[in-house]
Amino acid sequence: MMGLMATPWNYLRRKLQLKTRVLHTVKGGLTSQVLMSPPLVSLDLPDIWSLSSSRLSVSSVHKIFNEQTAWVLDGKMISMGIRSSIAGEVRRMEECIGKVPGLAVIMVGQRWDSQIYVRNKIKACEEVGIKSCVTELPTDCTEAEVQSALLRFNKDPSIHGILVQLPLPQHLDEGKVLDVLGLEKDVDGFHPLNTGNLAVIGREPLFIPCTPKGCIELLIRSGVEIIGKKAVVIGRSNIVGLPTSFLLQRHHATVTVIHAFTENPEQITSAADIVVSAAGIPNMVRGNWIKPGAIVIDVGTSPVEDPSCEDGYRLVGDVCYEEAVNVASVITPVPGGVGPMTVAMLLSNTLDSAKRMLDFT
């Protein structure tokens, strides 16, 4: 019967693993020496349905459940290893061609969280040897002023990556602003063409958005199997939720997206092998939302008042950590989980852009 050929899932897995191994041994790839995530087109497989798909084995990470509390993924430590590799590549570039990657940041207004994020990105650039510059515009600036700054950086050959720190003030149209950003310098991966290529099988975006890319890199480096797993993404923002769902599908997970209008989100989430939460609602995902042994990636970062902390607040995630850590098999903390990986992916994208533009391998 057409479409029901008995091609075992194990065969597809072996084929995918072989393709991935070959990619890691090929020299000259932009990220082969920095990241473990392979090019997306290398993951593309035909949808040949198998009648034996119910025989999928439970991953080893699930089998150890009940023997201990969740394994906490240290995003800070993993990102340090990636940043070290990036720094080595930047040094090699400077030694070989006398140039280094350049990143430009445009920040509009004085949002305290945006200031922190930008400061962390600039510091990270300095640590790996990437040149950076920041253009700060007042909250009441016009779209034309933001677009003018973008056009200036688009034309600057020393700048290989540009990011506009989001969110922008409400009177500015993010879409119109980002449309001006040169596709080849869109290291945040927010350009519609990059988003479209991420969603389409057979296409490779120039850049994958940094937070989704960091989530997948965390899973891969931690040995978590994605192919064939049930994944739930909570939140559908253009920055995190939507591209994360696309990326998980490109890695052959079966993906469900939960949003504010979803009925019975707890029930849907509790069936997932992998949960990625990016709703921005502190402690929304409780322990009873989590399937025993599931992998939990918490993207949410919300300030909660805490007089005992030096700044008067502490950062918490979407997931109630104290409950989930006793149910999940793998979990990311907040802070120190996805955040450092996001910055590392920005550096990686900027390095890739510079290599591409300077024809450096």
Side-chain angles (χ1 to χ4, degrees):
M1 200 175 186
M2 184 66 74
L4 289 177
M5 297 172 61
T7 303
W9 275 94
N10 287 337
Y11 165 75
L12 294 178
R13 276 198 177 84
R14 287 196 299 271
K15 183 177 178 182
L16 181 60
Q17 290 165 357
L18 176 62
K19 290 171 76 174
T20 303
R21 283 200 298 272
V22 170
L23 276 161
H24 291 332
T25 61
V26 174
K27 293 183 179 180
L30 291 178
T31 58
S32 60
Q33 296 175 315
V34 174
L35 304 182
M36 295 181 68
S37 305
L40 295 182
V41 291
S42 72
L43 301 173
D44 293 340
L45 293 174
D47 270 348
I48 303 174
W49 295 94
S50 170
L51 296 175
S52 59
S53 60
S54 61
R55 293 187 281 125
L56 293 175
S57 61
V58 179
S59 65
S60 58
V61 75
H62 282 191
K63 291 178 181 177
I64 64 172
F65 177 69
N66 283 337
E67 296 179 10
Q68 58 187 22
T69 56
W71 173 25
V72 179
L73 289 183
D74 190 339
K76 186 175 182 179
M77 183 181 69
I78 294 173
S79 69
M80 286 176 63
I82 295 171
R83 285 162 67 159
S84 177
S85 297
I86 292 171
E89 284 292 279
V90 171
R91 286 194 299 271
R92 185 172 70 88
M93 177 182 287
E94 188 170 23
E95 291 168 0
C96 292
I97 62 175
K99 296 181 180 180
V100 299
L103 174 69
V105 180
I106 297 174
M107 185 171 69
V108 181
Q110 299 293 320
R111 282 179 61 108
W112 68 271
D113 52 345
S114 291
Q115 290 177 325
I116 292 173
Y117 296 149
V118 168
R119 187 164 61 245
N120 289 341
K121 292 168 183 175
I122 298 304
K123 182 181 178 182
C125 285
E126 293 173 355
E127 291 174 353
V128 301
I130 292 176
K131 183 188 77 171
S132 63
C133 60
V134 180
T135 293
E136 297 186 37
L137 298 172
T139 303
D140 60 354
C141 71
T142 64
E143 280 179 13
E145 289 175 303
V146 183
Q147 291 171 336
S148 176
L150 278 170
L151 289 171
R152 186 172 67 254
F153 288 130
N154 281 345
K155 297 175 183 177
D156 188 339
S158 71
I159 297 298
H160 308 101
I162 306 169
L163 71 85
V164 178
Q165 184 63 43
L166 302 178
L168 294 174
Q170 290 186 350
H171 71 281
L172 299 178
D173 187 325
E174 289 183 3
K176 290 182 179 179
V177 168
L178 294 178
D179 281 346
V180 176
L181 174 58
L183 178 64
E184 71 281 359
K185 296 186 179 184
D186 174 37
V187 289
D188 255 341
F190 296 157
H191 193 286
L193 284 177
N194 274 322
T195 301
N197 285 332
L198 177 61
V200 176
I201 292 174
R203 296 293 188 91
E204 188 78 38
L206 285 179
F207 305 101
I208 298 172
C210 300
T211 298
K213 187 175 183 178
C215 292
I216 297 298
E217 187 71 16
L218 267 178
L219 293 174
I220 291 174
R221 286 177 177 261
S222 304
V224 173
E225 187 178 26
I226 302 174
I227 183 172
K229 299 304 179 195
K230 294 178 182 177
V232 162
V233 177
I234 303 175
R236 55 177 176 178
S237 71
N238 292 332
I239 297 173
V240 181
L242 193 63
T244 298
S245 68
F246 292 154
L247 195 51
L248 284 166
Q249 288 185 77
R250 293 294 293 269
H251 283 262
H252 306 289
T254 301
V255 182
T256 301
V257 176
I258 300 244
H259 49 76
F261 300 96
T262 301
E263 295 183 0
N264 303 315
E266 304 95 328
Q267 182 179 351
I268 297 170
T269 305
S270 65
D273 303 305
I274 300 170
V275 177
V276 180
S277 188
I281 308 297
N283 294 322
M284 180 182 75
V285 179
R286 313 298 299 197
N288 61 359
W289 287 41
I290 307 300
K291 173 183 175 180
I295 292 95
V296 178
I297 305 296
D298 193 352
V299 180
T301 306
S302 301
V304 173
E305 288 187 16
D306 189 339
S308 66
C309 296
E310 182 178 349
D311 296 321
Y313 69 90
R314 58 188 172 88
L315 297 178
V316 300
D318 288 355
V319 179
C320 183
Y321 183 86
E322 293 76 10
E323 295 177 7
V325 74
N326 295 314
V327 183
S329 61
V330 178
I331 193 169
T332 58
V334 176
V338 175
M341 292 297 293
T342 297
V343 175
M345 295 305 103
L346 172 64
L347 301 177
S348 175
N349 281 354
T350 303
L351 172 63
D352 285 353
S353 181
K355 284 184 172 184
R356 188 182 297 114
M357 296 176 71
L358 297 172
D359 195 23
F360 179 75
T361 57

